Amino acid sequence: MTDDLLLEVDQLQIELMTANGVIRAVDGVSFRIARGETVTIIGESGSGKSTTAMGVLQLLPRDLAVVSGTVRVTGLDVLGDPRAIEAVRGRTVALIPQDPMTALSPVRTVGSQLGEAIRIAGAASGRAAVTARAVRLLEQVHIPDPRAQLRKFPHQLSGGMLQRVLIAVALACEPQLIVADEPTSALDVTVQAGILDLLLELQEQRGIGLLMITHDLGVARLVSDRIHVMKAGVFVESGDVRQIVDHPVEDYTRRLLAAVPTLGAWDETPAAPAVPAAPAAPAAPADREETARA
Ligand SMILES: Nc1ncnc2c1ncn2[C@@H]1O[C@H](COP(=O)(O)OP(=O)(O)OP(=O)(O)O)[C@@H](O)[C@H]1O
Ligand SMILES: [Mg+2]
């Protein structure tokens, strides 16, 4: 193991106890993520992507899921030692959940929920310090007028703004690794692009490792260093982004490629010249998002 390896997953296998018997949702997958890298797991619905992510983070209910294999987060064996995951989850590694509309409590303000994450992370204590840190986090995710947003309730923000808040919540613990389970699939295409830009910017600034889960090869193509293509619990094809996008070996991967070229115009490769890029420079992502939802 080198110091730069944030995540090492070897022969991860996950069996779920369901009403219809035992399902082997993940059947021996292996991958690694180093500092500053984005590794994407892509696959159709039900292929086991979320189960893999939840298994890595040990978020599956212990009585319903049997997880085996090896998972190391910054060298710590989190399957072997149940206390190890408590030490890294919400500290070294953070999750960006799938649906921004339901991930936050509707009855508490953005400020109260972000503040709680900051306190749990131990990043600040005392009201003024927590508020100052919350403002700084919202600035980092390019939310305009952060102080005003802190007083708002989730339903008063757009989907794109809420997803930015969730990214700020994840950043509260200054993670080295972020697991993002379909972080943009609930959002409009234009808003998606702004969120992906933001994740890449944060990654570039801080060298964060990113495990991206998506069913959209357009998203995978934009953000990934390496891609693992998942089907029925196994990786059917793995490689660097160019190899998977330009020379897919499996028919299954070709079908994923054919399905969703939604973000093609944002890609600088000549392979996607069809549509002129929408609003080109991502200078004011906030405005663009609000316009996109209007
Ligand atoms: N709580 C559950 N109870 C029963 N089966 C489940 C449960 N969660 C997942 N599964 C099964 O495990 C397999 C993998 O599901 P998983 O949610 O990991 O897929 P996914 O690739 O994330 O799909 P999606 O793109 O729809 O999010 C599927 O066969 C699914 O039916
Ligand atoms: Mg899923």
PDB file of all heavy atoms in Angstrom, residues 16-19 23-26 43-52 60 64 98 181-182 213-215 230, ligand 1:
ATOM      1  N   LEU A  16     -27.492 -10.171   0.381  1.00  0.00           N
ATOM      2  CA  LEU A  16     -28.609  -9.502   1.044  1.00  0.00           C
ATOM      3  C   LEU A  16     -29.688 -10.530   1.361  1.00  0.00           C
ATOM      4  O   LEU A  16     -30.052 -11.340   0.498  1.00  0.00           O
ATOM      5  CB  LEU A  16     -29.202  -8.420   0.132  1.00  0.00           C
ATOM      6  CG  LEU A  16     -28.260  -7.306  -0.329  1.00  0.00           C
ATOM      7  CD1 LEU A  16     -28.968  -6.407  -1.348  1.00  0.00           C
ATOM      8  CD2 LEU A  16     -27.785  -6.478   0.857  1.00  0.00           C
ATOM      9  N   MET A  17     -30.191 -10.482   2.581  1.00  0.00           N
ATOM     10  CA  MET A  17     -31.314 -11.336   2.952  1.00  0.00           C
ATOM     11  C   MET A  17     -32.589 -10.611   2.540  1.00  0.00           C
ATOM     12  O   MET A  17     -32.888  -9.537   3.067  1.00  0.00           O
ATOM     13  CB  MET A  17     -31.370 -11.571   4.472  1.00  0.00           C
ATOM     14  CG  MET A  17     -30.032 -11.849   5.131  1.00  0.00           C
ATOM     15  SD  MET A  17     -29.299 -13.352   4.490  1.00  0.00           S
ATOM     16  CE  MET A  17     -27.563 -12.938   4.630  1.00  0.00           C
ATOM     17  N   THR A  18     -33.316 -11.154   1.601  1.00  0.00           N
ATOM     18  CA  THR A  18     -34.551 -10.506   1.166  1.00  0.00           C
ATOM     19  C   THR A  18     -35.730 -11.444   1.409  1.00  0.00           C
ATOM     20  O   THR A  18     -35.536 -12.608   1.765  1.00  0.00           O
ATOM     21  CB  THR A  18     -34.512 -10.178  -0.346  1.00  0.00           C
ATOM     22  OG1 THR A  18     -34.671 -11.399  -1.072  1.00  0.00           O
ATOM     23  CG2 THR A  18     -33.211  -9.509  -0.730  1.00  0.00           C
ATOM     24  N   ALA A  19     -36.923 -10.915   1.205  1.00  0.00           N
ATOM     25  CA  ALA A  19     -38.135 -11.731   1.390  1.00  0.00           C
ATOM     26  C   ALA A  19     -38.101 -12.946   0.469  1.00  0.00           C
ATOM     27  O   ALA A  19     -38.673 -13.989   0.777  1.00  0.00           O
ATOM     28  CB  ALA A  19     -39.363 -10.874   1.116  1.00  0.00           C
ATOM     29  N   ILE A  23     -29.856 -12.812  -1.926  1.00  0.00           N
ATOM     30  CA  ILE A  23     -29.366 -12.310  -3.221  1.00  0.00           C
ATOM     31  C   ILE A  23     -27.886 -11.970  -3.065  1.00  0.00           C
ATOM     32  O   ILE A  23     -27.517 -11.266  -2.132  1.00  0.00           O
ATOM     33  CB  ILE A  23     -30.090 -10.997  -3.611  1.00  0.00           C
ATOM     34  CG1 ILE A  23     -31.571 -11.244  -3.835  1.00  0.00           C
ATOM     35  CG2 ILE A  23     -29.464 -10.391  -4.855  1.00  0.00           C
ATOM     36  CD1 ILE A  23     -32.324  -9.961  -4.162  1.00  0.00           C
ATOM     37  N   ARG A  24     -27.071 -12.474  -3.972  1.00  0.00           N
ATOM     38  CA  ARG A  24     -25.668 -12.023  -3.969  1.00  0.00           C
ATOM     39  C   ARG A  24     -25.595 -10.780  -4.838  1.00  0.00           C
ATOM     40  O   ARG A  24     -25.410 -10.859  -6.050  1.00  0.00           O
ATOM     41  CB  ARG A  24     -24.760 -13.135  -4.485  1.00  0.00           C
ATOM     42  CG  ARG A  24     -23.299 -12.773  -4.315  1.00  0.00           C
ATOM     43  CD  ARG A  24     -22.385 -13.944  -4.568  1.00  0.00           C
ATOM     44  NE  ARG A  24     -22.555 -14.987  -3.558  1.00  0.00           N
ATOM     45  CZ  ARG A  24     -21.962 -16.179  -3.611  1.00  0.00           C
ATOM     46  NH1 ARG A  24     -21.168 -16.473  -4.618  1.00  0.00           N
ATOM     47  NH2 ARG A  24     -22.155 -17.071  -2.662  1.00  0.00           N
ATOM     48  N   ALA A  25     -25.773  -9.614  -4.196  1.00  0.00           N
ATOM     49  CA  ALA A  25     -25.882  -8.353  -4.938  1.00  0.00           C
ATOM     50  C   ALA A  25     -24.526  -7.894  -5.463  1.00  0.00           C
ATOM     51  O   ALA A  25     -24.443  -7.205  -6.475  1.00  0.00           O
ATOM     52  CB  ALA A  25     -26.497  -7.266  -4.057  1.00  0.00           C
ATOM     53  N   VAL A  26     -23.466  -8.256  -4.742  1.00  0.00           N
ATOM     54  CA  VAL A  26     -22.109  -7.907  -5.168  1.00  0.00           C
ATOM     55  C   VAL A  26     -21.284  -9.183  -5.080  1.00  0.00           C
ATOM     56  O   VAL A  26     -21.275  -9.856  -4.044  1.00  0.00           O
ATOM     57  CB  VAL A  26     -21.495  -6.803  -4.270  1.00  0.00           C
ATOM     58  CG1 VAL A  26     -20.071  -6.481  -4.707  1.00  0.00           C
ATOM     59  CG2 VAL A  26     -22.365  -5.544  -4.307  1.00  0.00           C
ATOM     60  N   GLY A  43     -23.441   1.294 -14.258  1.00  0.00           N
ATOM     61  CA  GLY A  43     -24.176   0.074 -14.579  1.00  0.00           C
ATOM     62  C   GLY A  43     -25.660   0.334 -14.541  1.00  0.00           C
ATOM     63  O   GLY A  43     -26.115   1.354 -14.025  1.00  0.00           O
ATOM     64  N   GLU A  44     -26.405  -0.615 -15.083  1.00  0.00           N
ATOM     65  CA  GLU A  44     -27.855  -0.450 -15.148  1.00  0.00           C
ATOM     66  C   GLU A  44     -28.456  -0.561 -13.740  1.00  0.00           C
ATOM     67  O   GLU A  44     -27.781  -0.976 -12.800  1.00  0.00           O
ATOM     68  CB  GLU A  44     -28.455  -1.522 -16.067  1.00  0.00           C
ATOM     69  CG  GLU A  44     -28.276  -2.914 -15.503  1.00  0.00           C
ATOM     70  CD  GLU A  44     -28.606  -4.026 -16.496  1.00  0.00           C
ATOM     71  OE1 GLU A  44     -28.933  -3.723 -17.647  1.00  0.00           O
ATOM     72  OE2 GLU A  44     -28.508  -5.187 -16.086  1.00  0.00           O
ATOM     73  N   SER A  45     -29.725  -0.200 -13.645  1.00  0.00           N
ATOM     74  CA  SER A  45     -30.420  -0.277 -12.365  1.00  0.00           C
ATOM     75  C   SER A  45     -30.413  -1.710 -11.838  1.00  0.00           C
ATOM     76  O   SER A  45     -30.631  -2.657 -12.591  1.00  0.00           O
ATOM     77  CB  SER A  45     -31.856   0.213 -12.570  1.00  0.00           C
ATOM     78  OG  SER A  45     -32.515   0.235 -11.347  1.00  0.00           O
ATOM     79  N   GLY A  46     -30.113  -1.863 -10.557  1.00  0.00           N
ATOM     80  CA  GLY A  46     -30.101  -3.189  -9.941  1.00  0.00           C
ATOM     81  C   GLY A  46     -28.803  -3.945 -10.121  1.00  0.00           C
ATOM     82  O   GLY A  46     -28.676  -5.097  -9.694  1.00  0.00           O
ATOM     83  N   SER A  47     -27.783  -3.315 -10.732  1.00  0.00           N
ATOM     84  CA  SER A  47     -26.536  -4.038 -10.986  1.00  0.00           C
ATOM     85  C   SER A  47     -25.680  -4.178  -9.725  1.00  0.00           C
ATOM     86  O   SER A  47     -24.742  -4.973  -9.697  1.00  0.00           O
ATOM     87  CB  SER A  47     -25.745  -3.346 -12.099  1.00  0.00           C
ATOM     88  OG  SER A  47     -25.539  -1.980 -11.809  1.00  0.00           O
ATOM     89  N   GLY A  48     -25.990  -3.396  -8.678  1.00  0.00           N
ATOM     90  CA  GLY A  48     -25.257  -3.544  -7.423  1.00  0.00           C
ATOM     91  C   GLY A  48     -24.380  -2.360  -7.062  1.00  0.00           C
ATOM     92  O   GLY A  48     -23.572  -2.436  -6.125  1.00  0.00           O
ATOM     93  N   LYS A  49     -24.553  -1.230  -7.731  1.00  0.00           N
ATOM     94  CA  LYS A  49     -23.696  -0.068  -7.505  1.00  0.00           C
ATOM     95  C   LYS A  49     -23.856   0.490  -6.093  1.00  0.00           C
ATOM     96  O   LYS A  49     -22.880   0.684  -5.368  1.00  0.00           O
ATOM     97  CB  LYS A  49     -24.013   1.050  -8.530  1.00  0.00           C
ATOM     98  CG  LYS A  49     -23.941   0.596  -9.980  1.00  0.00           C
ATOM     99  CD  LYS A  49     -24.258   1.726 -10.952  1.00  0.00           C
ATOM    100  CE  LYS A  49     -25.649   2.323 -10.816  1.00  0.00           C
ATOM    101  NZ  LYS A  49     -26.742   1.419 -11.230  1.00  0.00           N
ATOM    102  N   SER A  50     -25.109   0.765  -5.725  1.00  0.00           N
ATOM    103  CA  SER A  50     -25.339   1.341  -4.394  1.00  0.00           C
ATOM    104  C   SER A  50     -24.955   0.353  -3.297  1.00  0.00           C
ATOM    105  O   SER A  50     -24.407   0.754  -2.265  1.00  0.00           O
ATOM    106  CB  SER A  50     -26.806   1.731  -4.219  1.00  0.00           C
ATOM    107  OG  SER A  50     -27.124   2.788  -5.079  1.00  0.00           O
ATOM    108  N   THR A  51     -25.250  -0.922  -3.522  1.00  0.00           N
ATOM    109  CA  THR A  51     -24.890  -1.923  -2.521  1.00  0.00           C
ATOM    110  C   THR A  51     -23.375  -1.939  -2.317  1.00  0.00           C
ATOM    111  O   THR A  51     -22.890  -2.046  -1.189  1.00  0.00           O
ATOM    112  CB  THR A  51     -25.400  -3.313  -2.954  1.00  0.00           C
ATOM    113  OG1 THR A  51     -26.790  -3.211  -3.262  1.00  0.00           O
ATOM    114  CG2 THR A  51     -25.210  -4.335  -1.843  1.00  0.00           C
ATOM    115  N   THR A  52     -22.624  -1.798  -3.410  1.00  0.00           N
ATOM    116  CA  THR A  52     -21.163  -1.726  -3.296  1.00  0.00           C
ATOM    117  C   THR A  52     -20.759  -0.520  -2.442  1.00  0.00           C
ATOM    118  O   THR A  52     -19.965  -0.655  -1.490  1.00  0.00           O
ATOM    119  CB  THR A  52     -20.522  -1.601  -4.699  1.00  0.00           C
ATOM    120  OG1 THR A  52     -20.895  -2.740  -5.476  1.00  0.00           O
ATOM    121  CG2 THR A  52     -19.006  -1.512  -4.604  1.00  0.00           C
ATOM    122  N   LEU A  60     -24.890  -0.832   5.397  1.00  0.00           N
ATOM    123  CA  LEU A  60     -25.961  -1.807   5.218  1.00  0.00           C
ATOM    124  C   LEU A  60     -26.325  -2.382   6.593  1.00  0.00           C
ATOM    125  O   LEU A  60     -25.451  -2.588   7.418  1.00  0.00           O
ATOM    126  CB  LEU A  60     -25.505  -2.928   4.287  1.00  0.00           C
ATOM    127  CG  LEU A  60     -25.147  -2.495   2.863  1.00  0.00           C
ATOM    128  CD1 LEU A  60     -24.381  -3.596   2.140  1.00  0.00           C
ATOM    129  CD2 LEU A  60     -26.405  -2.129   2.093  1.00  0.00           C
ATOM    130  N   LEU A  64     -29.126  -7.828   7.828  1.00  0.00           N
ATOM    131  CA  LEU A  64     -29.688  -8.117   6.504  1.00  0.00           C
ATOM    132  C   LEU A  64     -28.634  -8.249   5.413  1.00  0.00           C
ATOM    133  O   LEU A  64     -28.943  -8.611   4.287  1.00  0.00           O
ATOM    134  CB  LEU A  64     -30.683  -7.025   6.099  1.00  0.00           C
ATOM    135  CG  LEU A  64     -31.933  -6.904   6.968  1.00  0.00           C
ATOM    136  CD1 LEU A  64     -32.815  -5.786   6.463  1.00  0.00           C
ATOM    137  CD2 LEU A  64     -32.704  -8.224   6.986  1.00  0.00           C
ATOM    138  N   GLN A  98     -27.963  10.386  -2.775  1.00  0.00           N
ATOM    139  CA  GLN A  98     -28.535  10.471  -4.118  1.00  0.00           C
ATOM    140  C   GLN A  98     -29.543  11.594  -4.288  1.00  0.00           C
ATOM    141  O   GLN A  98     -29.472  12.359  -5.229  1.00  0.00           O
ATOM    142  CB  GLN A  98     -29.193   9.126  -4.443  1.00  0.00           C
ATOM    143  CG  GLN A  98     -29.899   9.135  -5.785  1.00  0.00           C
ATOM    144  CD  GLN A  98     -30.178   7.734  -6.283  1.00  0.00           C
ATOM    145  OE1 GLN A  98     -29.860   6.765  -5.616  1.00  0.00           O
ATOM    146  NE2 GLN A  98     -30.766   7.643  -7.444  1.00  0.00           N
ATOM    147  N   ASP A 181     -23.198   8.849  -4.588  1.00  0.00           N
ATOM    148  CA  ASP A 181     -24.108   7.882  -5.206  1.00  0.00           C
ATOM    149  C   ASP A 181     -25.127   8.628  -6.066  1.00  0.00           C
ATOM    150  O   ASP A 181     -26.061   9.224  -5.540  1.00  0.00           O
ATOM    151  CB  ASP A 181     -24.809   7.056  -4.127  1.00  0.00           C
ATOM    152  CG  ASP A 181     -25.583   5.873  -4.727  1.00  0.00           C
ATOM    153  OD1 ASP A 181     -25.628   5.749  -5.967  1.00  0.00           O
ATOM    154  OD2 ASP A 181     -26.145   5.084  -3.945  1.00  0.00           O
ATOM    155  N   GLU A 182     -24.916   8.629  -7.360  1.00  0.00           N
ATOM    156  CA  GLU A 182     -25.805   9.319  -8.307  1.00  0.00           C
ATOM    157  C   GLU A 182     -26.059  10.762  -7.855  1.00  0.00           C
ATOM    158  O   GLU A 182     -27.206  11.166  -7.670  1.00  0.00           O
ATOM    159  CB  GLU A 182     -27.156   8.588  -8.416  1.00  0.00           C
ATOM    160  CG  GLU A 182     -27.055   7.128  -8.762  1.00  0.00           C
ATOM    161  CD  GLU A 182     -27.199   6.848 -10.257  1.00  0.00           C
ATOM    162  OE1 GLU A 182     -27.228   7.804 -11.053  1.00  0.00           O
ATOM    163  OE2 GLU A 182     -27.262   5.658 -10.610  1.00  0.00           O
ATOM    164  N   ILE A 213     -20.793   7.036  -8.387  1.00  0.00           N
ATOM    165  CA  ILE A 213     -21.727   5.993  -8.800  1.00  0.00           C
ATOM    166  C   ILE A 213     -22.708   6.631  -9.772  1.00  0.00           C
ATOM    167  O   ILE A 213     -23.306   7.663  -9.453  1.00  0.00           O
ATOM    168  CB  ILE A 213     -22.541   5.474  -7.594  1.00  0.00           C
ATOM    169  CG1 ILE A 213     -21.641   5.070  -6.438  1.00  0.00           C
ATOM    170  CG2 ILE A 213     -23.490   4.362  -8.018  1.00  0.00           C
ATOM    171  CD1 ILE A 213     -20.997   3.757  -6.552  1.00  0.00           C
ATOM    172  N   THR A 214     -22.862   6.051 -10.938  1.00  0.00           N
ATOM    173  CA  THR A 214     -23.809   6.627 -11.900  1.00  0.00           C
ATOM    174  C   THR A 214     -24.289   5.553 -12.864  1.00  0.00           C
ATOM    175  O   THR A 214     -23.664   4.506 -13.018  1.00  0.00           O
ATOM    176  CB  THR A 214     -23.159   7.789 -12.688  1.00  0.00           C
ATOM    177  OG1 THR A 214     -24.111   8.340 -13.588  1.00  0.00           O
ATOM    178  CG2 THR A 214     -21.947   7.338 -13.479  1.00  0.00           C
ATOM    179  N   HIS A 215     -25.439   5.812 -13.487  1.00  0.00           N
ATOM    180  CA  HIS A 215     -25.856   4.928 -14.573  1.00  0.00           C
ATOM    181  C   HIS A 215     -25.641   5.645 -15.911  1.00  0.00           C
ATOM    182  O   HIS A 215     -26.012   5.138 -16.957  1.00  0.00           O
ATOM    183  CB  HIS A 215     -27.322   4.538 -14.403  1.00  0.00           C
ATOM    184  CG  HIS A 215     -28.233   5.727 -14.447  1.00  0.00           C
ATOM    185  ND1 HIS A 215     -28.575   6.431 -13.311  1.00  0.00           N
ATOM    186  CD2 HIS A 215     -28.810   6.372 -15.480  1.00  0.00           C
ATOM    187  CE1 HIS A 215     -29.346   7.453 -13.668  1.00  0.00           C
ATOM    188  NE2 HIS A 215     -29.503   7.445 -14.972  1.00  0.00           N
ATOM    189  N   MET A 230     -20.460  -2.268 -14.230  1.00  0.00           N
ATOM    190  CA  MET A 230     -21.022  -3.285 -13.347  1.00  0.00           C
ATOM    191  C   MET A 230     -22.307  -3.857 -13.926  1.00  0.00           C
ATOM    192  O   MET A 230     -23.162  -3.130 -14.439  1.00  0.00           O
ATOM    193  CB  MET A 230     -21.299  -2.663 -11.986  1.00  0.00           C
ATOM    194  CG  MET A 230     -21.634  -3.674 -10.914  1.00  0.00           C
ATOM    195  SD  MET A 230     -21.431  -2.931  -9.271  1.00  0.00           S
ATOM    196  CE  MET A 230     -21.352  -4.430  -8.283  1.00  0.00           C
TER     197      MET A 230
HETATM  198  N1  LIG B   1     -33.347  -3.537   0.505  1.00  0.00           N
HETATM  199  C1  LIG B   1     -33.305  -4.463  -0.459  1.00  0.00           C
HETATM  200  N2  LIG B   1     -34.108  -5.536  -0.413  1.00  0.00           N
HETATM  201  C2  LIG B   1     -34.063  -6.459  -1.402  1.00  0.00           C
HETATM  202  N3  LIG B   1     -33.252  -6.422  -2.446  1.00  0.00           N
HETATM  203  C3  LIG B   1     -32.433  -5.385  -2.543  1.00  0.00           C
HETATM  204  C4  LIG B   1     -32.401  -4.349  -1.568  1.00  0.00           C
HETATM  205  N4  LIG B   1     -31.467  -3.439  -1.930  1.00  0.00           N
HETATM  206  C5  LIG B   1     -30.961  -3.879  -3.087  1.00  0.00           C
HETATM  207  N5  LIG B   1     -31.525  -5.059  -3.454  1.00  0.00           N
HETATM  208  C6  LIG B   1     -31.174  -5.858  -4.650  1.00  0.00           C
HETATM  209  O1  LIG B   1     -29.779  -5.858  -4.764  1.00  0.00           O
HETATM  210  C7  LIG B   1     -29.393  -5.731  -6.124  1.00  0.00           C
HETATM  211  C8  LIG B   1     -28.489  -4.514  -6.285  1.00  0.00           C
HETATM  212  O2  LIG B   1     -29.216  -3.330  -6.003  1.00  0.00           O
HETATM  213  P1  LIG B   1     -28.536  -1.887  -5.958  1.00  0.00           P
HETATM  214  O3  LIG B   1     -29.485  -0.980  -5.287  1.00  0.00           O
HETATM  215  O4  LIG B   1     -27.173  -1.999  -5.405  1.00  0.00           O
HETATM  216  O5  LIG B   1     -28.427  -1.543  -7.501  1.00  0.00           O
HETATM  217  P2  LIG B   1     -27.988  -0.189  -8.208  1.00  0.00           P
HETATM  218  O6  LIG B   1     -26.994  -0.571  -9.237  1.00  0.00           O
HETATM  219  O7  LIG B   1     -27.588   0.827  -7.194  1.00  0.00           O
HETATM  220  O8  LIG B   1     -29.321   0.269  -8.943  1.00  0.00           O
HETATM  221  P3  LIG B   1     -29.923   1.759  -9.208  1.00  0.00           P
HETATM  222  O9  LIG B   1     -29.234   2.269 -10.447  1.00  0.00           O
HETATM  223  O10 LIG B   1     -31.377   1.494  -9.461  1.00  0.00           O
HETATM  224  O11 LIG B   1     -29.693   2.606  -8.005  1.00  0.00           O
HETATM  225  C9  LIG B   1     -30.689  -5.657  -6.913  1.00  0.00           C
HETATM  226  O12 LIG B   1     -30.969  -6.945  -7.399  1.00  0.00           O
HETATM  227  C10 LIG B   1     -31.710  -5.222  -5.906  1.00  0.00           C
HETATM  228  O13 LIG B   1     -32.974  -5.726  -6.263  1.00  0.00           O
END
